[in-house]
Amino acid sequence: MLLTLAEAEFFRLRWSATILDETQKAIEKILADKDVADATVRASRARASMEAAFEEATVVDFDQFLSACEGLPDENDAHVVASALKTQAAVIVTDNLRDFPEELLRRSNLEARSADAFIADTIALDTGRAVAAVRRMRERFRKPEKNRRYPSFGYGGKRPYGNRGRPKAPHSLALGSKEATYPPWSAATP
């Protein structure tokens, strides 16, 4: 749902390689727990689709922001906060709220929100546009694209905006995960 809303340009995605590594592992575990035989291949393909569909989402060179992450309950989550700081995020969206304390995030002008709350707020921004995006997502499930380059997002083999890249959306979103659950996200305003 979050990727679909990002595709509909409610916000821009932002993630680090570490976040994508964790996300791929989480997807693989979810599929393996469902006894999907090719869970590793499917998780790798999902990651590749995310990277291809949102080429501008990768955040690099965020190490200078790691010192601002001291005091997190789980220091392994520092990359999520550092990526959010580099992209001037306003919100870290996660179902693991306890690892992103309100007081620590407030010092950096960040807020942690649950995925459900973030999705609800995003849909409330423009319900009609959000419903249309969800309908397009459901159509892809009924008629999956045969295209290998952008199989998950229905681009029909072409970048939706040609070689110009995607237009700037009003918000940004970064993704990370610690466990085999749906990953935390970080949304930012420019």
Side-chain angles (χ1 to χ4, degrees):
M1 177 70 76
L2 286 169
L3 293 174
T4 295
L5 293 172
E7 180 187 25
E9 300 175 0
F10 280 93
F11 44 80
R12 289 184 307 239
L13 292 167
R14 298 292 180 254
W15 51 52
S16 68
T18 304
I19 290 169
L20 285 175
D21 292 343
E22 293 173 354
T23 300
Q24 183 176 342
K25 288 176 190 171
I27 293 169
E28 183 177 345
K29 181 162 181 6
I30 290 166
L31 294 173
D33 288 349
K34 293 180 179 183
D35 295 323
V36 174
D38 59 348
T40 302
V41 171
R42 286 184 185 211
S44 178
R45 199 175 325 149
R47 177 186 178 151
S49 293
M50 290 168 57
E51 290 175 305
F54 299 101
E55 293 172 341
E56 72 287 350
T58 302
V59 178
V60 296
D61 299 328
F62 55 82
D63 292 347
Q64 71 264 26
F65 296 97
L66 290 172
S67 62
C69 305
E70 291 177 12
L72 284 173
D74 182 352
E75 63 187 35
N76 292 323
D77 288 327
H79 65 95
V80 176
V81 176
S83 294
L85 289 172
K86 167 117 190 231
T87 61
Q88 300 177 357
V91 178
I92 293 177
V93 181
T94 179
D95 288 325
N96 190 17
L97 292 170
R98 69 173 183 240
D99 282 347
F100 297 91
E102 182 179 339
E103 185 176 314
L104 180 99
L105 295 179
R106 191 178 321 117
R107 287 183 277 164
S108 299
N109 294 322
L110 291 169
E111 173 188 5
R113 303 284 313 272
S114 72
D116 288 344
F118 184 79
I119 290 169
D121 289 348
T122 301
I123 290 171
L125 290 173
D126 187 338
T127 305
R129 199 169 109 217
V131 168
V134 172
R135 282 188 181 137
R136 284 190 303 274
M137 178 182 75
R138 292 198 55 190
E139 279 299 310
R140 285 192 302 266
F141 289 140
R142 285 189 217 138
K143 302 176 192 172
E145 293 288 327
K146 302 232 184 245
N147 181 294
R148 293 191 183 272
R149 181 156 181 177
Y150 301 108
S152 297
F153 301 100
Y155 289 151
K158 300 176 187 169
R159 292 280 304 163
Y161 304 101
N163 292 330
R164 297 172 290 146
R166 299 172 67 83
K168 295 192 185 229
H171 298 81
S172 296
L173 188 73
L175 156 70
S177 176
K178 175 181 158 191
E179 301 172 2
T181 59
Y182 289 99
W185 300 75
S186 165
T189 54

